Amino acid sequence: MELFDDGPEDNGEAGSNAHEFTVSEISGAVKRSIEDQFGRVRVRGEVGRVSRPASGHLYFDLKDDRSVLAAITWKGQAAKLVTRPEEGIEVIATGRLTTFPGQSKYQMIVDQIEPAGAGALMMMLEKRRKALAAEGLFDETRKRPLPYLPDVIAVVTSPSGAVIRDILHRLRDRFPSRVLIWPVAVQGQESAPQVTAAIRGLNALDGSGPVPRPDLIIVARGGGSLEDLWGFNEESVVRAAAESRIPLISAVGHETDTTLIDFASDRRAPTPTAAAEMAVPVRAELALRLGDLQGRMGRASQTRIALPRQRLQDLGRALGRPQSLTDPARQRFDLFAGRLEPALRQFARSRRERLNALALPAALLRSATRAGNQRLTALGQKLPPTLARSLALRRERITRLGQSLTNSRARLIADAGRGIARDKDRLAALDARLGLAITRALPARRESLERLDRLRQTLGYTETLKRGFAVIHGPNGLLTSAKAARKATRFEIEFQDGRMAALPEGVDPAMPKPRKGKAEEPPEGGQQSLF
């Protein structure tokens, strides 16, 4: 665009024909020229000064070894940036060039920023890691141990990927637990905000509502490139993991992949399947271990009881039988107990006889006492004072002895009465015990007798006859063989309900019975007679 016309040199004359522009015209012309020439450009450079005012806009510089380009990202676009500019990293910024008339400067309106290769991403990642580590977010002392048997496990991952299926399958094989799934995006611009909200939302649960509070959180994602896993390197995700009051396992990527959430989590798992193995033990191994511990506890309890018992038995054998120590004393007690009652009876009888022999009629005793007192009083008036006092002392002693004798007699009579009453009670108790013993013994003896009688009847031959057998009686006793029956002239058959006579086969019933006595001897050389 041509702004000035070539003409004669102005020597300061008032009639110059050069066009005069206002400042706004010049600024507008420059603005249109730059925007038309550079409609949309991609600029590669190192991020310099970065400013984030309260307005929400983002101001930064793009520079190389010779020049500096001012850049700005408006508030709406700044929230959508995948990679935020950080001082010192090399980026590729996409946007359009324009001017700022207020300061006569040109600048770039940036709407997209991406790192200039993996080296820039690694540089930015290392810088962020050092800054967060300096705040103490990666310290080992602040990490919590994982619960041994979590009741509820929360998994923060994509609900449609293979990761959640692997975790659920592994948990089902090892130790089935209740799983709470919080679906999030694991890649792209929405990944970091959703993962941050999921971690903080799970920590905000108090368990009073329908959703239980988890005992363990697993943040999981499959493998991918550095750019794919970048959402788990964001500062908001790292801070949420570090602030989590619930123990957290990071299972992002494969074993060789490392993200910043791995440093802030309480435990890092190389794969999502390994995270499930860390979360719960194997139920079968736990059952075997529990059975082994239960057996060890039982054996320890038995040993704890058996050793003192064996020690007590050993000490008991050294002490001897307690009964052997008390047998002599028990025998002496039985010996003296049998002699004590007759001795007490004889002692009471002799004392009663002596008391009766010494006892005087009450009237005679009172008159004698009265007369004796009068005589003693009369004599006491005539006696000297010393002898009178001695006589008074003797009188008091005799009175006490008489009272003591009366009391002793009363006690002896009362003791004898109580002894007789005790003997009567004891005799009545023994009589009751004897009657009770007889009453208890009679049914048992009667039952034993009936049992023996039933056994006698069972063993007798009459019971055998009832089962269809018979007994053969011959002239000289029982016939127990066919040979003996053939020799008998007649015999009787005994059944259960009676006897009947029978003859051997071929014998005439009219034949006389053989005579009892000694049979005639056959003549010499002849045969003995059958009759």
Side-chain angles (χ1 to χ4, degrees):
M1 180 179 181
E2 191 174 327
L3 298 178
F4 301 97
D5 294 332
D6 293 335
E9 184 179 354
D10 186 7
N11 296 322
E13 296 178 355
S16 175
N17 59 354
H19 182 70
E20 295 179 355
F21 295 93
T22 63
V23 175
S24 297
E25 289 175 347
I26 292 295
S27 298
V30 171
K31 180 180 180 69
R32 288 189 297 273
S33 177
I34 293 177
E35 289 180 352
D36 291 341
Q37 184 69 27
F38 304 96
R40 186 165 182 83
V41 295
R42 287 168 56 87
V43 180
R44 180 174 185 144
E46 180 182 344
V47 178
R49 174 188 57 84
V50 180
S51 175
R52 297 181 179 89
S55 62
H57 307 313
L58 189 61
Y59 299 93
F60 58 96
D61 293 335
L62 294 174
K63 61 182 181 178
D64 55 13
D65 56 346
R66 291 175 294 180
S67 303
V68 177
L69 174 62
I72 181 173
T73 302
W74 303 120
K75 178 180 179 180
Q77 293 293 332
K80 299 178 182 179
L81 289 179
V82 177
T83 303
R84 288 183 173 273
E86 295 185 12
E87 187 175 354
I89 67 171
E90 188 175 6
V91 298
I92 298 175
T94 303
R96 58 187 178 85
L97 287 180
T98 186
T99 62
F100 180 47
Q103 294 183 354
S104 297
K105 57 183 286 189
Y106 70 97
Q107 59 188 9
M108 183 177 181
I109 307 298
V110 178
D111 53 21
Q112 184 179 352
I113 298 177
E114 56 184 289
L121 283 178
M122 294 301 297
M123 184 184 302
M124 183 171 60
L125 181 64
E126 182 64 19
K127 182 179 180 180
R128 184 177 296 173
R129 186 190 67 81
K130 291 180 179 179
L132 295 176
E135 297 182 20
L137 299 183
F138 302 156
D139 292 344
E140 293 293 332
T141 55
R142 52 164 298 278
K143 297 187 178 183
R144 294 165 297 276
L146 302 182
Y148 184 69
L149 283 176
D151 186 28
V152 179
I153 301 175
V155 181
V156 178
T157 187
S158 174
S160 59
V163 171
I164 186 63
R165 292 195 295 271
D166 293 341
I167 293 177
L168 293 177
H169 178 70
R170 181 61 65 181
L171 290 176
R172 191 182 307 113
D173 290 343
R174 291 175 65 87
F175 200 101
S177 303
R178 187 174 182 182
V179 179
L180 179 63
I181 302 176
W182 191 302
V184 296
V186 294
Q187 184 175 343
Q189 299 179 2
E190 301 297 328
S191 175
Q194 291 185 10
V195 173
T196 302
I199 296 175
R200 290 176 176 168
L202 290 172
N203 279 269
L205 295 174
D206 57 359
S208 59
V211 180
R213 178 180 174 85
D215 303 314
L216 181 67
I217 299 176
I218 299 178
V219 178
R221 187 207 187 279
S225 62
L226 181 61
E227 291 81 1
D228 296 338
L229 303 179
W230 191 257
F232 298 94
N233 292 320
E234 292 294 339
E235 183 176 349
S236 60
V237 175
V238 176
R239 292 189 180 276
E243 295 169 359
S244 175
R245 297 184 301 274
I246 302 175
L248 187 142
I249 298 178
S250 172
V252 177
H254 296 303
E255 188 170 0
T256 56
D257 298 326
T258 303
T259 56
L260 294 183
I261 192 175
D262 295 336
F263 298 100
S265 62
D266 297 299
R267 187 74 63 85
R268 176 188 180 269
T271 60
T273 303
E277 295 176 356
M278 291 180 182
V280 292
V282 180
R283 181 172 56 179
E285 295 178 357
L286 188 62
L288 291 176
R289 183 181 178 189
L290 185 62
D292 181 56
L293 292 176
Q294 187 174 3
R296 291 176 58 187
M297 184 177 66
R299 291 190 296 271
S301 301
Q302 293 177 358
T303 304
R304 185 73 174 176
I305 297 174
L307 290 180
R309 181 187 294 123
Q310 183 65 33
R311 178 63 176 168
L312 184 61
Q313 292 176 356
D314 296 340
L315 294 176
R317 285 193 295 269
L319 290 175
R321 295 193 312 110
Q323 187 176 357
S324 63
L325 300 177
T326 59
D327 284 343
R330 185 182 295 109
Q331 186 175 0
R332 288 196 302 271
F333 177 76
D334 293 339
L335 177 62
F336 288 112
R339 295 167 56 186
L340 180 61
E341 185 174 356
L344 289 176
R345 293 180 180 276
Q346 181 63 30
F347 178 76
R349 187 180 303 109
S350 62
R351 290 292 182 178
R352 187 180 297 109
E353 291 176 354
R354 289 180 61 187
L355 182 61
N356 293 334
L358 294 176
L360 297 175
L364 181 61
L365 182 59
R366 284 195 299 271
S367 61
T369 302
R370 189 182 303 108
N373 289 335
Q374 291 176 359
R375 292 181 61 188
L376 288 175
T377 301
L379 290 174
Q381 293 176 357
K382 298 179 180 181
L383 293 176
T386 304
L387 187 58
R389 284 195 299 272
S390 177
L391 186 59
L393 294 174
R394 295 297 180 88
R395 185 185 299 114
E396 292 176 2
R397 182 180 179 186
I398 291 172
T399 303
R400 287 197 302 271
L401 290 175
Q403 185 64 33
S404 176
L405 183 61
T406 303
N407 295 337
S408 299
R409 180 175 178 273
R411 283 195 299 271
L412 287 174
I413 294 173
D415 292 341
R418 286 193 294 270
I420 294 171
R422 283 196 301 270
D423 292 341
K424 287 182 179 180
D425 294 340
R426 183 179 180 188
L427 182 60
L430 291 175
D431 183 65
R433 290 175 59 188
L434 179 61
L436 183 60
I438 293 174
T439 304
R440 291 179 178 175
L442 280 178
R445 297 297 177 90
R446 184 180 296 108
E447 183 181 356
S448 178
L449 182 60
E450 292 175 354
R451 188 168 57 253
L452 291 175
D453 184 63
R454 288 193 298 270
L455 181 61
R456 177 189 63 78
Q457 294 177 4
T458 303
L459 297 178
Y461 79 98
T462 56
E463 296 294 326
T464 306
L465 294 178
K466 294 179 181 180
R467 295 197 297 271
F469 294 90
V471 179
I472 310 299
H473 296 274
N476 298 324
L478 296 176
L479 299 177
T480 59
S481 65
K483 182 179 180 182
R486 293 189 188 98
K487 293 181 180 181
T489 57
R490 65 174 61 244
F491 49 81
E492 290 182 350
I493 303 175
E494 182 181 1
F495 297 96
Q496 64 169 341
D497 55 350
R499 296 188 180 189
M500 66 175 292
L503 292 174
E505 184 179 1
V507 177
D508 189 1
M511 185 181 295
K513 298 179 180 180
R515 291 175 297 178
K516 295 181 179 180
K518 186 175 181 181
E520 296 180 359
E521 295 182 0
E524 183 177 357
Q527 184 178 0
Q528 185 178 1
S529 174
L530 293 177
F531 305 100

PDB file of all heavy atoms in Angstrom, residues 479-507:
ATOM      1  N   LEU A 479     -34.265-139.386  75.205  1.00  0.00           N
ATOM      2  CA  LEU A 479     -33.684-139.985  74.019  1.00  0.00           C
ATOM      3  C   LEU A 479     -33.148-138.863  73.139  1.00  0.00           C
ATOM      4  O   LEU A 479     -33.906-137.996  72.687  1.00  0.00           O
ATOM      5  CB  LEU A 479     -34.738-140.807  73.270  1.00  0.00           C
ATOM      6  CG  LEU A 479     -35.352-141.973  74.051  1.00  0.00           C
ATOM      7  CD1 LEU A 479     -36.422-142.659  73.211  1.00  0.00           C
ATOM      8  CD2 LEU A 479     -34.283-142.979  74.448  1.00  0.00           C
ATOM      9  N   THR A 480     -31.863-138.913  72.916  1.00  0.00           N
ATOM     10  CA  THR A 480     -31.236-137.798  72.178  1.00  0.00           C
ATOM     11  C   THR A 480     -30.685-138.237  70.834  1.00  0.00           C
ATOM     12  O   THR A 480     -30.060-137.420  70.149  1.00  0.00           O
ATOM     13  CB  THR A 480     -30.093-137.207  73.017  1.00  0.00           C
ATOM     14  OG1 THR A 480     -29.136-138.242  73.286  1.00  0.00           O
ATOM     15  CG2 THR A 480     -30.606-136.647  74.329  1.00  0.00           C
ATOM     16  N   SER A 481     -30.909-139.505  70.425  1.00  0.00           N
ATOM     17  CA  SER A 481     -30.407-139.975  69.142  1.00  0.00           C
ATOM     18  C   SER A 481     -31.375-140.984  68.560  1.00  0.00           C
ATOM     19  O   SER A 481     -32.177-141.614  69.268  1.00  0.00           O
ATOM     20  CB  SER A 481     -29.004-140.588  69.296  1.00  0.00           C
ATOM     21  OG  SER A 481     -29.058-141.755  70.091  1.00  0.00           O
ATOM     22  N   ALA A 482     -31.317-141.169  67.245  1.00  0.00           N
ATOM     23  CA  ALA A 482     -32.191-142.142  66.566  1.00  0.00           C
ATOM     24  C   ALA A 482     -31.835-143.574  66.951  1.00  0.00           C
ATOM     25  O   ALA A 482     -32.699-144.454  67.038  1.00  0.00           O
ATOM     26  CB  ALA A 482     -32.077-141.949  65.048  1.00  0.00           C
ATOM     27  N   LYS A 483     -30.576-143.826  67.192  1.00  0.00           N
ATOM     28  CA  LYS A 483     -30.137-145.171  67.582  1.00  0.00           C
ATOM     29  C   LYS A 483     -30.773-145.585  68.888  1.00  0.00           C
ATOM     30  O   LYS A 483     -31.277-146.715  69.034  1.00  0.00           O
ATOM     31  CB  LYS A 483     -28.618-145.185  67.674  1.00  0.00           C
ATOM     32  CG  LYS A 483     -28.047-146.539  68.031  1.00  0.00           C
ATOM     33  CD  LYS A 483     -26.527-146.458  68.071  1.00  0.00           C
ATOM     34  CE  LYS A 483     -25.926-147.800  68.430  1.00  0.00           C
ATOM     35  NZ  LYS A 483     -24.442-147.753  68.518  1.00  0.00           N
ATOM     36  N   ALA A 484     -30.785-144.650  69.860  1.00  0.00           N
ATOM     37  CA  ALA A 484     -31.399-144.974  71.154  1.00  0.00           C
ATOM     38  C   ALA A 484     -32.903-145.138  71.023  1.00  0.00           C
ATOM     39  O   ALA A 484     -33.531-145.965  71.708  1.00  0.00           O
ATOM     40  CB  ALA A 484     -31.064-143.881  72.148  1.00  0.00           C
ATOM     41  N   ALA A 485     -33.538-144.370  70.099  1.00  0.00           N
ATOM     42  CA  ALA A 485     -34.994-144.485  69.912  1.00  0.00           C
ATOM     43  C   ALA A 485     -35.367-145.841  69.304  1.00  0.00           C
ATOM     44  O   ALA A 485     -36.426-146.410  69.595  1.00  0.00           O
ATOM     45  CB  ALA A 485     -35.489-143.345  69.045  1.00  0.00           C
ATOM     46  N   ARG A 486     -34.505-146.349  68.379  1.00  0.00           N
ATOM     47  CA  ARG A 486     -34.819-147.652  67.778  1.00  0.00           C
ATOM     48  C   ARG A 486     -34.764-148.761  68.808  1.00  0.00           C
ATOM     49  O   ARG A 486     -35.481-149.776  68.676  1.00  0.00           O
ATOM     50  CB  ARG A 486     -33.843-147.926  66.636  1.00  0.00           C
ATOM     51  CG  ARG A 486     -33.996-146.984  65.441  1.00  0.00           C
ATOM     52  CD  ARG A 486     -33.153-147.464  64.282  1.00  0.00           C
ATOM     53  NE  ARG A 486     -33.121-146.487  63.199  1.00  0.00           N
ATOM     54  CZ  ARG A 486     -32.139-145.627  63.017  1.00  0.00           C
ATOM     55  NH1 ARG A 486     -31.097-145.638  63.845  1.00  0.00           N
ATOM     56  NH2 ARG A 486     -32.189-144.770  62.025  1.00  0.00           N
ATOM     57  N   LYS A 487     -33.933-148.633  69.815  1.00  0.00           N
ATOM     58  CA  LYS A 487     -33.811-149.680  70.830  1.00  0.00           C
ATOM     59  C   LYS A 487     -34.942-149.642  71.844  1.00  0.00           C
ATOM     60  O   LYS A 487     -35.182-150.610  72.549  1.00  0.00           O
ATOM     61  CB  LYS A 487     -32.470-149.543  71.550  1.00  0.00           C
ATOM     62  CG  LYS A 487     -31.275-149.831  70.672  1.00  0.00           C
ATOM     63  CD  LYS A 487     -29.987-149.687  71.481  1.00  0.00           C
ATOM     64  CE  LYS A 487     -28.772-149.986  70.611  1.00  0.00           C
ATOM     65  NZ  LYS A 487     -27.503-149.865  71.376  1.00  0.00           N
ATOM     66  N   ALA A 488     -35.618-148.473  71.988  1.00  0.00           N
ATOM     67  CA  ALA A 488     -36.687-148.351  72.996  1.00  0.00           C
ATOM     68  C   ALA A 488     -37.947-149.028  72.496  1.00  0.00           C
ATOM     69  O   ALA A 488     -38.252-149.014  71.304  1.00  0.00           O
ATOM     70  CB  ALA A 488     -36.944-146.877  73.287  1.00  0.00           C
ATOM     71  N   THR A 489     -38.683-149.668  73.456  1.00  0.00           N
ATOM     72  CA  THR A 489     -39.940-150.328  73.122  1.00  0.00           C
ATOM     73  C   THR A 489     -41.078-149.335  73.037  1.00  0.00           C
ATOM     74  O   THR A 489     -42.010-149.522  72.257  1.00  0.00           O
ATOM     75  CB  THR A 489     -40.251-151.394  74.170  1.00  0.00           C
ATOM     76  OG1 THR A 489     -40.278-150.762  75.453  1.00  0.00           O
ATOM     77  CG2 THR A 489     -39.168-152.474  74.176  1.00  0.00           C
ATOM     78  N   ARG A 490     -41.049-148.284  73.781  1.00  0.00           N
ATOM     79  CA  ARG A 490     -42.038-147.220  73.730  1.00  0.00           C
ATOM     80  C   ARG A 490     -41.412-145.959  74.319  1.00  0.00           C
ATOM     81  O   ARG A 490     -40.459-146.012  75.089  1.00  0.00           O
ATOM     82  CB  ARG A 490     -43.320-147.598  74.479  1.00  0.00           C
ATOM     83  CG  ARG A 490     -43.125-147.787  75.971  1.00  0.00           C
ATOM     84  CD  ARG A 490     -44.466-148.023  76.674  1.00  0.00           C
ATOM     85  NE  ARG A 490     -45.160-149.218  76.204  1.00  0.00           N
ATOM     86  CZ  ARG A 490     -46.343-149.181  75.571  1.00  0.00           C
ATOM     87  NH1 ARG A 490     -46.945-148.033  75.385  1.00  0.00           N
ATOM     88  NH2 ARG A 490     -46.951-150.298  75.167  1.00  0.00           N
ATOM     89  N   PHE A 491     -41.992-144.848  73.986  1.00  0.00           N
ATOM     90  CA  PHE A 491     -41.488-143.558  74.505  1.00  0.00           C
ATOM     91  C   PHE A 491     -42.599-142.541  74.455  1.00  0.00           C
ATOM     92  O   PHE A 491     -43.676-142.794  73.894  1.00  0.00           O
ATOM     93  CB  PHE A 491     -40.263-143.075  73.713  1.00  0.00           C
ATOM     94  CG  PHE A 491     -40.460-143.124  72.214  1.00  0.00           C
ATOM     95  CD1 PHE A 491     -41.147-142.134  71.541  1.00  0.00           C
ATOM     96  CD2 PHE A 491     -39.936-144.189  71.488  1.00  0.00           C
ATOM     97  CE1 PHE A 491     -41.299-142.190  70.190  1.00  0.00           C
ATOM     98  CE2 PHE A 491     -40.100-144.235  70.126  1.00  0.00           C
ATOM     99  CZ  PHE A 491     -40.784-143.232  69.457  1.00  0.00           C
ATOM    100  N   GLU A 492     -42.344-141.391  75.069  1.00  0.00           N
ATOM    101  CA  GLU A 492     -43.307-140.296  75.122  1.00  0.00           C
ATOM    102  C   GLU A 492     -42.691-139.048  74.461  1.00  0.00           C
ATOM    103  O   GLU A 492     -41.507-138.772  74.638  1.00  0.00           O
ATOM    104  CB  GLU A 492     -43.702-139.966  76.553  1.00  0.00           C
ATOM    105  CG  GLU A 492     -44.533-141.029  77.210  1.00  0.00           C
ATOM    106  CD  GLU A 492     -44.932-140.609  78.615  1.00  0.00           C
ATOM    107  OE1 GLU A 492     -44.367-139.578  79.089  1.00  0.00           O
ATOM    108  OE2 GLU A 492     -45.780-141.265  79.227  1.00  0.00           O
ATOM    109  N   ILE A 493     -43.585-138.330  73.742  1.00  0.00           N
ATOM    110  CA  ILE A 493     -43.154-137.078  73.075  1.00  0.00           C
ATOM    111  C   ILE A 493     -43.787-135.915  73.824  1.00  0.00           C
ATOM    112  O   ILE A 493     -45.019-135.860  73.956  1.00  0.00           O
ATOM    113  CB  ILE A 493     -43.562-137.047  71.603  1.00  0.00           C
ATOM    114  CG1 ILE A 493     -42.977-138.262  70.858  1.00  0.00           C
ATOM    115  CG2 ILE A 493     -43.108-135.748  70.944  1.00  0.00           C
ATOM    116  CD1 ILE A 493     -43.441-138.373  69.422  1.00  0.00           C
ATOM    117  N   GLU A 494     -42.948-135.007  74.297  1.00  0.00           N
ATOM    118  CA  GLU A 494     -43.428-133.837  75.056  1.00  0.00           C
ATOM    119  C   GLU A 494     -43.464-132.614  74.150  1.00  0.00           C
ATOM    120  O   GLU A 494     -42.455-132.208  73.550  1.00  0.00           O
ATOM    121  CB  GLU A 494     -42.531-133.545  76.258  1.00  0.00           C
ATOM    122  CG  GLU A 494     -43.029-132.360  77.087  1.00  0.00           C
ATOM    123  CD  GLU A 494     -42.119-132.063  78.262  1.00  0.00           C
ATOM    124  OE1 GLU A 494     -41.093-132.763  78.429  1.00  0.00           O
ATOM    125  OE2 GLU A 494     -42.424-131.109  78.998  1.00  0.00           O
ATOM    126  N   PHE A 495     -44.689-132.023  74.044  1.00  0.00           N
ATOM    127  CA  PHE A 495     -44.885-130.778  73.317  1.00  0.00           C
ATOM    128  C   PHE A 495     -45.090-129.644  74.322  1.00  0.00           C
ATOM    129  O   PHE A 495     -45.068-129.854  75.535  1.00  0.00           O
ATOM    130  CB  PHE A 495     -46.077-130.896  72.368  1.00  0.00           C
ATOM    131  CG  PHE A 495     -45.884-131.942  71.296  1.00  0.00           C
ATOM    132  CD1 PHE A 495     -46.397-133.225  71.472  1.00  0.00           C
ATOM    133  CD2 PHE A 495     -45.172-131.660  70.146  1.00  0.00           C
ATOM    134  CE1 PHE A 495     -46.208-134.179  70.493  1.00  0.00           C
ATOM    135  CE2 PHE A 495     -44.993-132.617  69.181  1.00  0.00           C
ATOM    136  CZ  PHE A 495     -45.505-133.879  69.345  1.00  0.00           C
ATOM    137  N   GLN A 496     -45.335-128.434  73.803  1.00  0.00           N
ATOM    138  CA  GLN A 496     -45.505-127.299  74.697  1.00  0.00           C
ATOM    139  C   GLN A 496     -46.776-127.385  75.524  1.00  0.00           C
ATOM    140  O   GLN A 496     -46.875-126.809  76.606  1.00  0.00           O
ATOM    141  CB  GLN A 496     -45.505-125.979  73.888  1.00  0.00           C
ATOM    142  CG  GLN A 496     -46.679-125.862  72.929  1.00  0.00           C
ATOM    143  CD  GLN A 496     -46.806-124.478  72.348  1.00  0.00           C
ATOM    144  OE1 GLN A 496     -46.241-123.556  72.919  1.00  0.00           O
ATOM    145  NE2 GLN A 496     -47.536-124.341  71.254  1.00  0.00           N
ATOM    146  N   ASP A 497     -47.799-128.133  75.026  1.00  0.00           N
ATOM    147  CA  ASP A 497     -49.065-128.203  75.741  1.00  0.00           C
ATOM    148  C   ASP A 497     -49.348-129.575  76.344  1.00  0.00           C
ATOM    149  O   ASP A 497     -50.466-129.860  76.786  1.00  0.00           O
ATOM    150  CB  ASP A 497     -50.209-127.823  74.784  1.00  0.00           C
ATOM    151  CG  ASP A 497     -50.203-128.671  73.521  1.00  0.00           C
ATOM    152  OD1 ASP A 497     -49.216-129.409  73.312  1.00  0.00           O
ATOM    153  OD2 ASP A 497     -51.182-128.573  72.749  1.00  0.00           O
ATOM    154  N   GLY A 498     -48.344-130.460  76.342  1.00  0.00           N
ATOM    155  CA  GLY A 498     -48.560-131.757  76.991  1.00  0.00           C
ATOM    156  C   GLY A 498     -47.718-132.846  76.359  1.00  0.00           C
ATOM    157  O   GLY A 498     -46.883-132.590  75.477  1.00  0.00           O
ATOM    158  N   ARG A 499     -47.944-134.115  76.843  1.00  0.00           N
ATOM    159  CA  ARG A 499     -47.202-135.263  76.353  1.00  0.00           C
ATOM    160  C   ARG A 499     -48.160-136.246  75.659  1.00  0.00           C
ATOM    161  O   ARG A 499     -49.350-136.287  75.964  1.00  0.00           O
ATOM    162  CB  ARG A 499     -46.496-135.989  77.488  1.00  0.00           C
ATOM    163  CG  ARG A 499     -45.416-135.177  78.197  1.00  0.00           C
ATOM    164  CD  ARG A 499     -44.669-136.069  79.157  1.00  0.00           C
ATOM    165  NE  ARG A 499     -43.621-135.353  79.868  1.00  0.00           N
ATOM    166  CZ  ARG A 499     -42.706-135.938  80.644  1.00  0.00           C
ATOM    167  NH1 ARG A 499     -42.754-137.263  80.824  1.00  0.00           N
ATOM    168  NH2 ARG A 499     -41.787-135.234  81.234  1.00  0.00           N
ATOM    169  N   MET A 500     -47.575-137.077  74.739  1.00  0.00           N
ATOM    170  CA  MET A 500     -48.341-138.160  74.120  1.00  0.00           C
ATOM    171  C   MET A 500     -47.418-139.342  73.932  1.00  0.00           C
ATOM    172  O   MET A 500     -46.208-139.193  73.721  1.00  0.00           O
ATOM    173  CB  MET A 500     -48.940-137.710  72.778  1.00  0.00           C
ATOM    174  CG  MET A 500     -47.918-137.417  71.700  1.00  0.00           C
ATOM    175  SD  MET A 500     -48.715-137.044  70.116  1.00  0.00           S
ATOM    176  CE  MET A 500     -49.386-138.663  69.737  1.00  0.00           C
ATOM    177  N   ALA A 501     -48.016-140.545  74.091  1.00  0.00           N
ATOM    178  CA  ALA A 501     -47.243-141.780  73.979  1.00  0.00           C
ATOM    179  C   ALA A 501     -47.038-142.123  72.521  1.00  0.00           C
ATOM    180  O   ALA A 501     -47.861-141.809  71.655  1.00  0.00           O
ATOM    181  CB  ALA A 501     -47.962-142.916  74.698  1.00  0.00           C
ATOM    182  N   ALA A 502     -45.944-142.822  72.228  1.00  0.00           N
ATOM    183  CA  ALA A 502     -45.622-143.234  70.873  1.00  0.00           C
ATOM    184  C   ALA A 502     -44.849-144.528  70.924  1.00  0.00           C
ATOM    185  O   ALA A 502     -44.208-144.860  71.941  1.00  0.00           O
ATOM    186  CB  ALA A 502     -44.829-142.147  70.154  1.00  0.00           C
ATOM    187  N   LEU A 503     -44.919-145.284  69.813  1.00  0.00           N
ATOM    188  CA  LEU A 503     -44.210-146.568  69.686  1.00  0.00           C
ATOM    189  C   LEU A 503     -43.286-146.510  68.493  1.00  0.00           C
ATOM    190  O   LEU A 503     -43.608-145.850  67.475  1.00  0.00           O
ATOM    191  CB  LEU A 503     -45.208-147.710  69.518  1.00  0.00           C
ATOM    192  CG  LEU A 503     -46.095-148.029  70.734  1.00  0.00           C
ATOM    193  CD1 LEU A 503     -47.109-149.082  70.346  1.00  0.00           C
ATOM    194  CD2 LEU A 503     -45.262-148.479  71.911  1.00  0.00           C
ATOM    195  N   PRO A 504     -42.182-147.213  68.557  1.00  0.00           N
ATOM    196  CA  PRO A 504     -41.328-147.281  67.378  1.00  0.00           C
ATOM    197  C   PRO A 504     -42.029-148.013  66.251  1.00  0.00           C
ATOM    198  O   PRO A 504     -42.975-148.785  66.463  1.00  0.00           O
ATOM    199  CB  PRO A 504     -40.097-148.046  67.867  1.00  0.00           C
ATOM    200  CG  PRO A 504     -40.133-147.935  69.348  1.00  0.00           C
ATOM    201  CD  PRO A 504     -41.580-147.886  69.720  1.00  0.00           C
ATOM    202  N   GLU A 505     -41.629-147.816  65.043  1.00  0.00           N
ATOM    203  CA  GLU A 505     -42.238-148.440  63.884  1.00  0.00           C
ATOM    204  C   GLU A 505     -42.002-149.946  63.929  1.00  0.00           C
ATOM    205  O   GLU A 505     -40.872-150.415  64.182  1.00  0.00           O
ATOM    206  CB  GLU A 505     -41.641-147.847  62.599  1.00  0.00           C
ATOM    207  CG  GLU A 505     -42.303-148.392  61.347  1.00  0.00           C
ATOM    208  CD  GLU A 505     -41.693-147.751  60.114  1.00  0.00           C
ATOM    209  OE1 GLU A 505     -40.763-146.919  60.277  1.00  0.00           O
ATOM    210  OE2 GLU A 505     -42.131-148.074  58.993  1.00  0.00           O
ATOM    211  N   GLY A 506     -43.093-150.740  63.773  1.00  0.00           N
ATOM    212  CA  GLY A 506     -43.003-152.185  63.757  1.00  0.00           C
ATOM    213  C   GLY A 506     -43.228-152.829  65.108  1.00  0.00           C
ATOM    214  O   GLY A 506     -43.075-154.034  65.236  1.00  0.00           O
ATOM    215  N   VAL A 507     -43.561-152.110  66.129  1.00  0.00           N
ATOM    216  CA  VAL A 507     -43.791-152.673  67.468  1.00  0.00           C
ATOM    217  C   VAL A 507     -45.281-152.799  67.678  1.00  0.00           C
ATOM    218  O   VAL A 507     -46.028-151.848  67.411  1.00  0.00           O
ATOM    219  CB  VAL A 507     -43.138-151.802  68.557  1.00  0.00           C
ATOM    220  CG1 VAL A 507     -43.448-152.373  69.926  1.00  0.00           C
ATOM    221  CG2 VAL A 507     -41.652-151.720  68.319  1.00  0.00           C
TER     222      VAL A 507
END
